[in-house]
Amino acid sequence: PSDEQKQNMISFLHLLSEVYPCQICASDLKHELEQHPPNVDSRDEFIEWMCKLHNRISKKIHKKQQFDCKQHQKRWRRQRDHTWHDIEELDESEQ
């Protein structure tokens, strides 16, 4: 991505943390952005960052399943030969 695209994504995430309808969620996103700044250097790095954010939030809200972020391509950039059923979630014990 260009420098402008990188900055736009970072700005978008920070704006989202300001306007998110749930105040608790917005505050939590602000905290996450401070503790774990977005990695926007490449599409793959950003997707992995989003996956890890997803897993941290899932853990906070006590969801038992976490996604294996090394499999992000399989989940978010599925090829035609992959279906939703091919996606494997991880139990906390597997992480």
Side-chain angles (χ1 to χ4, degrees), residues 16-36:
L16 183 61
S17 76
E18 295 291 331
V19 300
Y20 203 82
C22 168
Q23 289 181 349
I24 293 169
C25 300
S27 178
D28 194 42
L29 180 55
K30 284 180 194 176
H31 175 78
E32 286 291 332
L33 292 170
E34 290 171 6
Q35 296 300 309
H36 307 278

Side-chain angles (χ1 to χ4, degrees), residues 31-84:
H31 175 78
E32 286 291 332
L33 292 170
E34 290 171 6
Q35 296 300 309
H36 307 278
N39 186 342
V40 295
D41 289 333
S42 73
R43 178 186 299 268
D44 284 343
E45 289 172 317
F46 180 67
I47 293 171
E48 187 169 343
W49 178 85
M50 288 291 294
C51 179
K52 289 177 180 178
L53 173 67
H54 171 270
N55 284 345
R56 285 191 302 273
I57 291 172
S58 291
K59 190 172 184 176
K60 286 180 186 179
I61 61 174
H62 307 292
K63 286 194 173 185
K64 291 185 179 186
Q65 292 184 331
Q66 302 280 300
F67 185 71
D68 179 359
C69 293
K70 292 180 178 138
Q71 299 293 323
H72 67 80
Q73 289 285 357
K74 190 174 181 180
R75 180 172 189 145
W76 285 298
R77 293 188 58 113
R78 290 191 297 273
Q79 302 297 323
R80 284 185 237 147
D81 58 338
H82 291 129
T83 68
W84 184 254

